[in-house]
Amino acid sequence: IIAARISDCCRAMSVQAHFDNEKATASLSTMDHVEIYLSLWRGTAPIYDKDCIVVEAQRRRGSVVNYYGYCRKILDAASGKFDSEKYAKTDGVKRGRRDLAGSPYLTRKITPAEDAGSVMDKALVALNIAAGLIRKDRLDAQRLGMESLCLLTDPSRAGMETAKIAARVVLLDTAQEELVNGDEVIFDESAELRIREVIISIVLGDSDDDSGYDSDDSEEKEHKDLLFNLALVIMANALAVYETPAAATSRLRRNSVVDSFLKDAQEMSSNNILSSLLGVLGQAQDNPHDSFRSAQCLGSLFQGSDEARRKARDLNAKQIVLTALDVGQRTHVKLANASQRVLRVLAVEDEDDEDEDEDEEQN
């Protein structure tokens, strides 16, 4: 019973879990890179009551603060006090960084002392620092730079104005809304950051840094996997910025951004970004966290590009998403929700195709 409660709690919190029934242990991995090792022990008298089960949790890696947050929920679940529905309405949604409507930063207006130019200058400073870090050879510097970009593209952390600037740099390789003001060409300070190039190369798996890695070195492989996950988070955050009401972005503008991003990604690499993201989603059983982020990206790309939705059928996207949905419903709530969103977006394309077929028959 206790193991079943913990399993349901992990599913609700979208925590990947590997259970060992023989040893009564579990290895847990969270979306924010906290690793926890659980052990169940049978208590003995006189210290414990008869038939008492002791749940031991050990932090193997990650933030201590986040670790204690997860532990409280897991121990509550073990004692039957965890309410998954209540969690989904509060902490659960915010941890996924998708439902940003309740964030106080989204509706924060820029004060006279903090004009648009000031926000732009501060954002460019932060982006320049992050760009410098991700291009360094040191593993810790690369990770710090990627984590900085995760924060800069998250409106609930950096504020909507800063997130919009960071999102433009990630998707369009420019911090400017428009590069031409009347007859005057605006100097773009962000043109040499190359942040988009790095993000796309990591996601598509053709980064130049691969030549320096030893495939047998587990630490370096772990580092590459972490950078890949962070790149997916950055891309998902940037695409999500153009979908939030606070961004005040028209549907036409959003679609133009998505189409431009897909076109530029195709020119930068021989690999197709939609195919790569669907490949990640297809590994939901082994890596649900990356699959969840991939589903977020795919949902935004399919939503914002008619061409991407048309290509989805050739890539067998619907079947891949259905498989991920099945995995998510059993083990990972956020993956299930993201997969359902992708299916809803793809269903619009199917309805449009049916309407076109009916029009052709009538003609």
Side-chain angles (χ1 to χ4, degrees):
I1 295 177
I2 293 177
R5 290 172 178 171
I6 293 175
S7 176
D8 184 63
C9 175
C10 290
R11 183 191 67 82
M13 294 194 298
S14 298
V15 173
Q16 184 179 12
H18 296 285
F19 295 95
D20 187 330
N21 295 329
E22 294 183 1
K23 297 181 180 179
T25 61
S27 299
L28 311 182
S29 175
T30 73
M31 288 197 301
D32 43 7
H33 312 116
V34 177
E35 294 183 8
I36 304 171
Y37 187 77
L38 291 181
S39 300
L40 302 185
W41 305 91
R42 183 178 296 279
T44 56
I47 300 178
Y48 301 101
D49 296 334
K50 183 180 179 181
D51 298 329
C52 173
I53 301 297
V54 179
V55 180
E56 178 189 15
Q58 300 176 8
R59 181 180 69 91
R60 295 296 174 85
R61 184 172 299 169
S63 166
V64 175
V65 176
N66 291 349
Y67 162 74
Y68 279 111
Y70 285 111
C71 271
R72 283 195 295 269
K73 299 294 189 299
I74 292 170
L75 296 178
D76 284 346
S79 58
K81 299 177 182 178
F82 179 77
D83 187 340
S84 59
E85 294 183 1
K86 182 179 179 181
Y87 178 84
K89 294 178 181 178
T90 55
D91 305 52
V93 173
K94 293 181 181 179
R95 283 189 189 276
R97 297 284 178 260
R98 290 297 297 173
D99 186 0
L100 306 176
S103 172
Y105 294 96
L106 290 180
T107 55
R108 181 174 66 86
K109 295 182 179 179
I110 299 176
T111 62
E114 184 189 24
D115 58 16
S118 175
V119 174
M120 174 67 79
D121 291 341
K122 292 178 181 178
L124 285 175
V125 170
L127 288 166
N128 271 285
I129 293 173
L133 289 170
I134 62 178
R135 290 199 296 268
K136 291 184 179 296
D137 295 330
R138 299 200 317 272
L139 304 186
D140 59 339
Q142 293 174 2
R143 175 173 180 172
L144 184 59
M146 295 294 283
E147 289 176 342
S148 298
L149 290 173
C150 288
L151 297 177
L152 289 170
T153 53
D154 185 348
S156 67
R157 301 289 187 89
M160 179 52 73
E161 294 304 316
T162 299
K164 286 167 63 178
I165 295 169
R168 286 198 294 269
V169 170
V170 170
L171 300 177
L172 303 176
D173 207 25
T174 176
Q176 302 292 339
E177 187 74 42
E178 299 291 344
L179 293 179
V180 178
N181 184 12
D183 296 330
E184 180 183 358
V185 178
I186 301 174
F187 174 68
D188 185 10
E189 298 181 45
S190 61
E192 301 299 323
L193 293 179
R194 294 176 53 206
I195 290 176
R196 180 182 62 172
E197 178 183 338
V198 173
I199 299 301
I200 290 177
S201 66
I202 293 175
V203 171
L204 295 181
D206 52 7
S207 174
D208 293 337
D209 295 335
D210 289 351
S211 58
Y213 286 122
D214 181 359
S215 59
D216 296 330
D217 191 324
S218 59
E219 182 178 350
E220 291 184 341
K221 181 181 183 303
E222 187 177 307
H223 173 71
K224 286 181 61 180
D225 292 342
L226 175 61
L227 291 188
F228 181 77
N229 176 266
L230 293 175
L232 289 176
V233 174
I234 294 166
M235 187 184 298
N237 284 351
L239 290 167
V241 165
Y242 281 90
E243 298 178 354
T244 54
T249 304
S250 67
R251 182 175 182 273
L252 183 62
R253 172 60 176 163
R254 181 198 66 194
N255 292 2
S256 173
V257 169
V258 173
D259 285 332
S260 177
F261 173 71
L262 290 173
K263 179 182 177 182
D264 292 343
Q266 187 64 47
E267 293 176 353
M268 291 171 58
S269 173
S270 58
N271 296 327
N272 182 276
I273 193 166
L274 293 176
S275 179
S276 297
L277 290 172
L278 285 169
V280 176
L281 187 59
Q283 300 172 5
Q285 187 68 47
D286 298 324
N287 197 335
H289 296 331
D290 284 356
S291 295
F292 161 61
R293 299 300 183 183
S294 176
Q296 286 183 303
C297 294
L298 287 168
S300 298
L301 293 173
F302 289 146
Q303 181 74 42
S305 172
D306 295 336
E307 181 65 23
R309 288 198 301 274
R310 283 191 288 269
K311 290 181 178 179
R313 181 173 299 177
D314 298 333
L315 296 172
N316 195 30
K318 192 171 184 179
Q319 185 57 48
I320 295 173
V321 177
L322 284 171
T323 302
L325 174 61
D326 178 64
V327 174
Q329 290 174 334
R330 289 185 284 109
T331 63
H332 200 287
V333 165
K334 289 184 176 61
L335 173 59
N337 293 339
S339 299
Q340 287 174 342
R341 185 210 174 195
V342 177
L343 288 175
R344 288 195 297 269
V345 174
L346 293 178
V348 174
E349 176 67 17
D350 292 339
E351 292 175 0
D352 292 342
D353 289 345
E354 291 178 0
D355 293 339
E356 290 179 2
D357 293 339
E358 290 177 1
D359 293 339
E360 290 178 359
E361 290 177 359
Q362 292 176 358
N363 294 333

